[in-house]
Amino acid sequence: MKEVEKPASGLTAALRRGELTSVDCPSREVFKHVTSLWGVLCLIALRDGTLRFSELRRKATGVSERMLALTLQRLEEDGFVRRTAYPVIPPRVEYDLTPSGEQVAAHVAMLADWIEENTGDVMQQRQARG
């Protein structure tokens, strides 16, 4: 008796169906926000807990203030990051992960860990080809 194959789910299924490749697919925007360099670094940094803007900027060295603000705004709009502004002088703003943010950050961290662990091999492949 032939075993029935389970239908694929999630991102890989959307890609197979051609949805992710469609310019109109809303998941593309979310995917872009989560997997951008600054999005990845923010999500990973916030896994350690609540951080202020200046603390995030120090952790994500090389990011401009404008790009960090834009990245955090997008992650907040997507429901991954919570922004808390306190009515004090000088202004104090803190960022932390929402439950959805914690989930997506865990997945992004696994990818980042894999890249860190395999960068040596990747660099060897580059040298061999180039």
Side-chain angles (χ1 to χ4, degrees):
M1 189 173 216
K2 187 176 176 184
E3 203 172 303
V4 177
E5 224 180 277
K6 285 185 178 178
S9 63
L11 178 62
T12 54
L15 184 61
R16 287 184 188 136
R17 289 190 305 266
E19 293 170 15
L20 188 63
T21 58
S22 168
V23 72
D24 298 327
C25 183
S27 64
R28 285 175 81 165
E29 275 301 300
V30 177
F31 196 75
K32 184 169 68 174
H33 298 164
V34 168
T35 60
S36 71
L37 173 61
W38 307 122
V40 167
L41 294 178
C42 286
L43 290 167
I44 290 172
L46 289 169
R47 289 185 80 203
D48 293 333
T50 302
L51 294 172
R52 294 177 72 175
F53 186 88
S54 59
E55 294 169 319
L56 272 166
R57 188 154 183 227
R58 277 193 295 276
K59 286 184 178 265
T61 58
V63 66
S64 70
E65 192 170 309
R66 183 181 185 285
M67 183 54 73
L68 179 58
L70 185 59
T71 299
L72 289 166
Q73 181 181 10
R74 288 176 176 159
L75 292 172
E76 182 183 8
E77 288 170 357
D78 291 338
F80 300 130
V81 170
R82 179 176 26 251
R83 179 183 187 272
T84 305
Y86 297 93
V88 294
I89 297 178
R92 188 173 112 217
V93 178
E94 295 179 340
Y95 297 89
D96 67 325
L97 295 174
T98 65
S100 292
E102 290 173 11
Q103 290 177 2
V104 76
H107 290 287
V108 166
M110 283 192 294
L111 176 60
D113 287 346
W114 186 93
I115 291 170
E116 283 292 321
E117 292 167 5
N118 292 280
T119 296
D121 294 339
V122 172
M123 299 311 286
Q124 285 178 345
Q125 289 297 321
R126 284 185 184 178
Q127 287 178 342
R129 295 189 191 290

